[in-house]
């Protein structure tokens, strides 16, 4: 087999914000490498997880083998398994597989278990030229040291020509709990609409921040989805005035470059025990939904017709609570339903926020 050089691998990566280069490896990140020191340790971790990051290529090879270093978050509350790599062939899911090796990270204990080195082969791929898209696990950090193909196989980068929708949110957009790398609701919704997507869901770290807004402002995006609120509920991190100000400031920063890009503001989904209960004089989820609707109404009244509000309860409501194994995060079935519902409400029909051929404002 032939092993591609790191310089050959880098152009094949998609869905990332930046690439951290170390001797002998490449790591796709969802944060700017030069600004890693601007973030707390937990935000750096979740922003380094490979949610929505993909290796995309056209090749005649019938084998694809990936190796490197993997640090996978410990198993979720449910009996579903984390850390899958999903391989698509010509746009269709071909295989879901788990790497051999890799370390597990216990965030509460602050330690790693096992050897982080991993190996993942896919064999018996269809003959002839085809487009492969290998999705890296959303619940792991992945540093790529080697990508191997058959001797003599043709390999070339294949940019994704589809319009791109960018999602930012909490763990419920990061979708750590979903079994497959492509099973989170942003991926499901984008796939149903025939769109490319970028997942900037940061578990525990969607704080209506200027840092996140700057990344989104500078990203290529034909539509933007901001699912806001749940991560500022713990400890009452934002009061009513600061919540409103932070939401408006985030949108204003994004609008500096994405002047006409459609933006969907999504409020929190149903969450038992948080609906009407506020912590430390903060906001319950019911009030967050009202405030986010007010934010969108104010901006539309000020002359921004390209922003709309979507109530999170329309994606996942009280009737779906059985799909919350830990009373907070949906399982794979719950994420699938969210993706299907978001597609139906926002990405299909005459009022779809994004149709083919729209030009992006961002760089």
């Amino acid at each position: 087999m032939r092993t591609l050089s790191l310089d050959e691998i880098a152009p094949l990566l998609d869905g990332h914000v930046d690439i951290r280069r170390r001797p002998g490896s490449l790591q796709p990140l969802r944060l700017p490498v030069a600004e890693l020191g601007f973030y707390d340790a937990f935000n750096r971790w979740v922003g380094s997880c490979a949610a929505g990051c993909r290796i995309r290529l056209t090749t005649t090879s019938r084998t694809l083998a990936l190796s490197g270093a993997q640090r996978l978050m410990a198993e979720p509350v449910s009996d579903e398994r984390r850390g899958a790599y999903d391989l698509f062939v010509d746009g269709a899911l071909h295989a879901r597989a788990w790497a051999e090796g890799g370390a597990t990270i216990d965030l509460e204990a602050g330690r790693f278990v096992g050897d982080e080195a991993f190996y993942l082969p896919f064999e018996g791929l269809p003959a002839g030229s085809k487009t492969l898209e290998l999705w890296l696990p959303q619940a792991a950090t992945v540093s790529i040291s080697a990508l191997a193909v058959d001797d003599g196989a043709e390999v070339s980068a294949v940019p994704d020509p589809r319009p791109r929708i960018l999602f930012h949110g909490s763990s419920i957009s990061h979708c750590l709990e979903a079994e497959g790398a492509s099973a989170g609701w942003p991926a499901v919704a984008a796939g149903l609409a025939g769109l490319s997507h970028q997942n900037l869901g940061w578990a525990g770290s969607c704080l209506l921040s200027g840092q996140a807004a700057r990344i989104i402002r500078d990203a290529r995006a034909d539509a933007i989805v901001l699912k806001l609120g749940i991560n500022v509920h713990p400890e009452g991190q934002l009061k009513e005035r600061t919540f409103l100000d932070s939401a408006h400031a985030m949108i204003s920063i994004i609008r500096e470059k994405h002047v006409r890009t459609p933006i969907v503001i999504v409020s929190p989904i149903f969450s038992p025990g948080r609906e009407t209960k506020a912590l430390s004089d903060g906001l319950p989820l019911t009030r967050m939904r009202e405030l986010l609707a007010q934010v969108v109404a104010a901006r539309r009244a000020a002359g921004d017709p390209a922003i709309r509000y979507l109530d999170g309860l329309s994606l996942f409501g009280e009737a779906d609570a059985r799909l919350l194994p830990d009373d907070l995060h949906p399982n794979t079935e719950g994420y699938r339903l969210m993706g299907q519902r978001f597609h139906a409400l926002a990405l299909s029909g005459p009022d779809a926020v994004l149709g083919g051929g729209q030009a992006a404002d961002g760089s």
Side-chain angles (χ1 to χ4, degrees):
M1 294 185 69
R2 176 169 76 91
T3 299
L4 305 183
S5 70
L6 296 182
D7 286 340
E8 290 177 292
I9 296 171
L12 309 181
L13 294 174
D14 193 11
H16 57 289
V17 170
D18 207 350
I19 299 174
R20 177 156 48 189
R21 297 173 183 265
R22 298 186 178 98
S25 71
L26 301 173
Q27 182 183 6
L29 299 180
R30 298 180 302 127
L31 296 169
V33 172
E35 298 182 358
L36 286 173
F38 298 179
Y39 297 86
D40 65 85
F42 187 77
N43 202 160
R44 285 197 301 272
W45 158 254
V46 297
S48 298
C49 287
C53 295
R54 312 177 286 281
I55 299 173
R56 185 178 168 85
L57 66 153
T58 292
T59 184
T60 55
S61 180
R62 301 198 66 183
T63 305
L64 188 72
L66 179 70
S67 57
Q70 173 183 287
R71 294 178 173 181
L72 175 67
M73 187 173 286
E75 293 301 305
V77 172
S78 70
D79 58 0
E80 293 183 302
R81 186 177 180 185
R82 282 180 172 156
Y85 291 74
D86 287 349
L87 180 65
F88 285 76
V89 177
D90 291 331
L93 181 62
H94 176 80
R96 174 167 290 165
W98 284 262
E100 301 171 13
T104 299
I105 181 172
D106 186 333
L107 289 176
E108 292 185 1
R111 62 189 180 94
F112 297 98
V113 178
D115 185 346
E116 64 184 23
F118 79 92
Y119 178 69
L120 179 67
F122 291 92
E123 300 173 336
L125 300 180
S129 182
K130 55 205 164 283
T131 296
L132 303 182
E133 195 170 62
L134 178 58
W135 293 56
L136 307 181
Q138 80 282 9
T141 64
V142 178
S143 294
I144 299 166
S145 60
L147 184 68
V149 296
D150 294 337
D151 288 329
E154 299 174 3
V155 175
S156 60
V158 53
D160 195 331
R162 300 173 297 175
R164 171 164 292 190
I165 182 167
L166 184 153
F167 295 82
H168 174 62
S170 66
S171 55
I172 297 167
S173 295
H174 191 150
C175 304
L176 290 166
E177 297 74 22
E179 180 180 81
S182 64
W185 74 269
V188 171
L192 289 171
L195 303 172
S196 172
H197 90 289
Q198 184 170 26
N199 187 329
L200 295 186
W202 293 345
S205 304
C206 178
L207 306 176
L208 287 73
S209 74
Q211 292 291 80
R214 290 173 60 248
I215 295 173
I216 299 166
R217 177 196 64 189
D218 296 337
R220 177 176 73 84
D222 298 284
I224 295 167
V225 181
L226 304 176
K227 188 179 176 305
L228 307 175
I230 189 67
N231 281 159
V232 299
H233 181 272
E235 302 174 9
Q237 294 180 45
L238 293 177
K239 316 307 180 187
E240 187 157 318
R241 289 182 65 195
T242 50
F243 185 91
L244 284 168
D245 182 81
S246 297
H248 276 297
M250 185 175 203
I251 296 166
S252 293
I253 291 170
I254 294 169
R255 279 282 183 245
E256 290 173 0
K257 292 186 179 178
H258 287 281
V259 179
R260 299 175 301 277
T261 303
I263 295 177
V264 182
I265 304 297
V266 184
S267 60
I269 66 170
F270 178 75
S271 189
R274 301 169 183 87
E275 290 294 314
T276 58
K277 181 179 179 180
L279 300 178
S280 302
D281 298 321
L283 299 169
L285 301 191
T286 51
R287 185 56 177 155
M288 288 184 190
R289 296 188 189 103
E290 294 170 351
L291 293 175
L292 289 171
Q294 291 176 22
V295 166
V296 172
R299 300 191 80 91
R300 291 181 66 88
D304 184 354
I307 190 168
R308 69 168 69 175
Y309 171 75
L310 182 62
D311 189 331
L313 295 178
S314 66
L315 299 182
F316 194 100
E318 185 173 4
D320 304 308
R322 62 183 176 82
L323 303 176
L324 297 172
D326 62 356
D327 279 344
L328 178 60
H329 303 95
N331 58 16
T332 299
E333 181 183 353
Y335 284 131
R336 178 180 56 79
L337 287 175
M338 287 183 64
Q340 292 172 340
R341 290 165 179 170
F342 186 84
H343 172 257
L345 293 169
L347 297 179
S348 61
D351 295 326
V353 297
L354 183 59
Q358 286 185 264
D361 287 319
S363 57

